[in-house]
Amino acid sequence: MLARLLKKPFVRAYATNNQLFLSKDVSKDIPTHELFQKLGFTKQPSSGLVHWLPLGLRILRNVENIIHTEMRRVDAEEVALSSLSAAALWKTTGRWDNRELFKLQDAKGADYCLAPTCEEEITDIVKAHVGSYKDLPLIMYQVARKYRDEKRPRAGLLRGREFLMKDAYSFDVSETHALVTYDKVYGAYKAIFRTLKIPFAIAEADTGDIGGSLSHEWHYVHHSGEDSLFTCSSCGSTSNIEKTLALPEVDSVPVDTAEVRYFLNESKDTLVALYYPVGRTLVPLFLKEEIPDLNTKSTLTDEETLAKFMEGEEIIGKSIIRVMDARLHDRTILPDFPVPFQRGSFTTLTGLPLVEAREGEVCYKCEEGRLERQKAIEVGHTFFLGTRYSAPLNATFTNEFGKPELMSMGCYGIGVSRIIAAIAEVTRDMEGFVWPATIAPFQVTIIEGPGKNYQQTVAMMDGVAQSLKEGGITVNRDFRPLERFGLGKKIRDSNLIGVPLVVIAGKALPRLEIEVRGKRWEQKETYLWQELRARKQE
Ligand code: ATP
Ligand code: MG
Ligand code: MG
Ligand code: MG
């Protein structure tokens, strides 16, 4: 049964579902992740998880192939690491307590996590195999499933709890060499994103939890994005929000209590939030809404409320859910207390940057232009790591004088599954998906026209399909009977799943004509089949 289904997945996928799309305006009604499911590209068994069905998998493989091609070009070696990772290495690098780790234990009680990224494991491998400086530089990469216990999985592929990432790691003899390698991989990323054909932005980024000192994020600018980019009108530099606002690259900040501000809801005179100035902005520490006890006791004085805030670790550790929109009122003075603050909690959890940069702010780099803010989807991230991992894991090589030295590293991620959702989101139109030809599940759909001589039409379709395939073009044959699925419907269905071209054969018999329609073309084009064949033979 399954085998039979899998043989005709494509036709089945849209033949069973297309009744749903009689309305032309699919874009208005259906969120992208639902469109993926309705058209049979993916299935989401539960929040944050995705099964890839044949149509979706075709796109995935195309994206992977583009990535493999460019990674090989910079001499990166492909590896495939286990998804399970024992706790020891993570404890050594201080990352075992990361909140997003999916942790599990074996029957003997030993701790593991499902790999969210692989700096620890890969460094451990390379350390065992690299002896001397002659073995370096080295770039290792894989396209593999990653696991993160995202607090707010989003739109299936965009923010999954299991997702596909291309992760690459570089190892060099010195920082200078590592930066050369960084540039090389940066070049590979440019090539990958160019081949994907969607305009992209590169933003200077902070290095966050991964550590290190130089980093870029790769984005698709789109209003649905969760990230914010700031671009200078004068020097043109683009940076992400953390970099722009100079937020610290640490998990907790020692809070100078004299600096903490708290805000009151003017009308109710109750405390609603605590903020702390970090860099050039105010970072929210807590919001009262999260602490139900406090909400009901609006008669508490400010001091009593603050005392409550400080009482329990669990309160202190809580993350920020959303900004209150009360008219905020500034006060000062607070007693001494340390406040651990989870960086990232306010961007990842809320989906909104809680920290607002003033628009129009003067560029922090050139100090001339003004910063313009745009929403964007992060699809890749490159980091220069230096010795952030090689030091704790003691990954050394012997230099030319026979002395051990720490390797200098870089790491480079691309959200392979997220890219597919992001491209769909950015390009889809009223008629469905619009895939760039480089990743489309099929590049051409061939449909028979309403001709009189069926035999001749089919022979012509075979000929067209054959020559397209020989040219390396992926072809979808729509064999559904024309009497039941009319020409218009077949064209619409092909457009719906985002096949860039439709070829209609045998419409004008006895003239052997083929008609070509591009999904985004204004006019169709018509060719004589004999002419095309003759041209091919020349
Ligand atoms: P985000 O800020 O969106 O949470 P991140 O900065 O935590 O992403 P990185 O650690 O930089 O992600 O991982 C490299 C790439 O993997 C990201 O640029 C993104 O494209 C992708 N990625 C990260 N988390 C997810 C996820 N939960 N689902 C799908 N793709 C993801
Ligand atoms: Mg994240
Ligand atoms: Mg990020
Ligand atoms: Mg990132």
Side-chain angles (χ1 to χ4, degrees):
M1 163 73 179
L2 197 63
R4 191 164 56 83
L5 275 186
L6 290 175
K7 267 190 198 145
K8 284 194 173 179
F10 171 64
V11 170
R12 201 185 153 75
Y14 72 72
T16 51
N17 286 310
N18 56 17
Q19 300 306 330
L20 294 168
F21 296 104
L22 292 177
S23 135
K24 278 191 193 140
D25 188 1
V26 284
S27 284
K28 242 192 202 162
D29 306 332
I30 298 166
T32 304
H33 66 282
E34 279 177 26
L35 195 57
F36 269 116
Q37 299 195 75
K38 294 216 153 134
L39 295 176
F41 285 71
T42 59
K43 160 105 174 71
Q44 276 177 244
S46 64
S47 171
L49 303 183
V50 169
H51 295 315
W52 292 88
L53 305 188
L55 263 183
L57 195 59
R58 282 179 158 269
I59 302 178
L60 180 63
R61 295 288 181 247
N62 292 340
V63 174
E64 286 175 1
N65 283 339
I66 291 170
I67 293 175
H68 284 303
T69 304
E70 297 304 332
M71 293 311 290
R72 279 185 210 125
R73 244 194 262 278
V74 291
D75 299 324
E77 291 284 352
E78 189 182 357
V79 288
L81 271 53
S82 167
S83 292
L84 274 181
S85 182
L89 292 174
W90 296 85
K91 289 184 176 160
T92 312
T93 58
R95 292 211 293 180
W96 181 247
D97 291 329
N98 186 306
R99 292 191 201 177
E100 284 178 2
L101 283 189
F102 265 111
K103 294 181 182 173
L104 54 163
Q105 286 191 334
D106 67 12
K108 293 181 196 133
D111 288 319
Y112 295 84
C113 69
L114 290 170
T117 172
C118 293
E119 285 78 11
E120 282 78 357
E121 292 286 355
I122 198 92
T123 308
D124 199 48
I125 294 171
V126 170
K127 167 183 160 179
H129 287 275
V130 166
S132 100
Y133 67 96
K134 289 179 193 153
D135 301 328
L136 299 174
L138 201 59
I139 307 173
M140 308 282 244
Y141 84 101
Q142 61 176 349
V143 176
R145 284 164 197 252
K146 300 287 179 312
Y147 301 85
R148 296 184 185 182
D149 190 1
E150 299 278 359
K151 293 290 169 289
R152 290 199 340 160
R154 186 169 165 252
L157 298 172
L158 268 183
R159 185 173 294 287
R161 303 172 100 190
E162 178 189 72
F163 59 98
L164 274 151
M165 199 207 287
K166 186 286 301 172
D167 46 328
Y169 308 88
S170 66
F171 300 83
D172 273 275
V173 295
S174 71
E175 186 171 319
T176 318
H177 288 80
L179 289 173
V180 172
T181 302
Y182 184 91
D183 282 347
K184 207 160 107 174
V185 181
Y186 186 95
Y189 268 50
K190 272 195 177 162
I192 290 167
F193 282 104
R194 282 190 188 130
T195 312
L196 291 171
K197 302 285 177 200
I198 307 298
F200 58 96
I202 306 172
E204 290 180 29
D206 76 331
T207 48
D209 184 39
I210 288 204
S213 55
L214 169 73
S215 160
H216 293 93
E217 280 175 2
W218 302 69
H219 285 268
Y220 289 143
V221 171
H222 194 251
H223 59 81
S224 71
E226 291 186 298
D227 285 17
S228 286
L229 303 184
F230 294 85
T231 304
C232 172
S233 58
S234 174
C235 68
S237 68
T238 299
S239 50
N240 75 357
I241 190 160
E242 291 87 352
K243 181 90 179 173
T244 309
L245 301 172
L247 295 182
E249 297 165 9
V250 290
D251 282 346
S252 65
V253 281
V255 169
D256 174 355
T257 52
E259 289 287 307
V260 172
R261 319 260 184 97
Y262 60 104
F263 295 93
L264 299 182
N265 179 328
E266 250 181 10
S267 53
K268 293 193 187 142
D269 202 28
T270 53
L271 183 74
V272 290
L274 291 179
Y275 283 77
Y276 187 69
V278 180
R280 296 141 60 101
T281 191
L282 291 178
V283 173
L285 298 177
F286 316 102
L287 294 178
K288 187 181 168 186
E289 273 228 325
E290 284 203 287
I291 308 158
D293 261 9
L294 293 178
N295 283 332
T296 51
K297 296 180 187 166
S298 54
T299 51
L300 287 179
T301 65
D302 291 346
E303 284 67 28
E304 283 166 341
T305 313
L306 279 175
K308 277 272 177 200
F309 267 122
M310 291 181 291
E311 249 169 35
E313 281 287 309
E314 73 281 6
I315 291 178
I316 284 177
K318 280 232 170 156
S319 26
I320 319 306
I321 304 296
R322 65 187 185 85
V323 196
M324 306 284 291
D325 76 347
R327 281 162 296 150
L328 298 176
H329 194 72
D330 199 350
R331 296 266 187 101
T332 42
I333 353 146
L334 279 177
D336 272 346
F337 67 103
V339 182
F341 111 78
Q342 280 287 332
R343 92 174 270 296
S345 57
F346 48 88
T347 45
T348 38
L349 267 185
T350 57
L352 299 167
L354 294 190
V355 213
E356 288 295 324
R358 277 149 282 146
E359 294 301 308
E361 191 168 343
V362 175
C363 173
Y364 67 100
K365 263 189 150 178
C366 67
E367 296 187 347
E368 275 181 17
R370 302 261 162 194
L371 293 179
E372 189 210 332
R373 176 182 181 154
Q374 285 173 306
K375 291 283 193 187
I377 307 170
E378 178 189 333
V379 281
H381 204 155
T382 47
F383 295 85
F384 164 66
L385 295 169
T387 57
R388 164 67 181 88
Y389 296 94
S390 52
L393 297 168
N394 197 28
T396 59
F397 63 95
T398 359
N399 68 18
E400 44 197 312
F401 309 107
K403 292 259 168 346
E405 257 187 74
L406 289 174
M407 294 179 217
S408 191
M409 292 174 54
C411 74
Y412 317 87
I414 291 186
V416 181
S417 45
R418 181 181 287 184
I419 273 187
I420 294 169
I423 290 180
E425 186 77 37
V426 169
T427 60
R428 63 179 285 201
D429 64 10
M430 304 299 250
E431 294 181 315
F433 290 126
V434 184
W435 300 110
T438 45
I439 64 166
F442 300 94
Q443 291 164 319
V444 178
T445 298
I446 302 179
I447 305 173
E448 88 254 38
K452 288 193 190 87
N453 188 335
Y454 187 70
Q455 293 296 334
Q456 203 178 3
T457 306
V458 169
M460 204 168 136
M461 285 168 78
D462 287 344
V464 174
Q466 189 56 30
S467 29
L468 288 172
K469 282 181 191 163
E470 281 164 15
I473 290 169
T474 49
V475 174
N476 166 47
R477 300 277 301 264
D478 187 340
F479 285 116
R480 293 176 299 170
L482 205 58
E483 314 84 71
R484 279 181 49 217
F485 302 90
L487 188 60
K489 170 150 191 53
K490 287 188 172 201
I491 296 171
R492 272 203 307 281
D493 284 344
S494 175
N495 285 346
L496 196 57
I497 60 168
V499 179
L501 289 180
V502 173
V503 164
I504 301 154
K507 204 173 169 184
L509 286 173
R511 261 184 314 137
L512 295 179
E513 216 176 76
I514 66 167
E515 186 181 297
V516 185
R517 296 169 180 241
K519 174 150 186 188
R520 289 224 162 148
W521 293 3
E522 296 211 332
Q523 281 173 344
K524 55 193 178 195
E525 292 178 6
T526 313
Y527 301 93
L528 273 182
W529 176 232
Q530 292 96 320
E531 269 180 26
L532 283 188
R533 269 209 300 214
R535 248 192 259 169
K536 204 185 135 213
Q537 276 155 13
E538 272 166 19

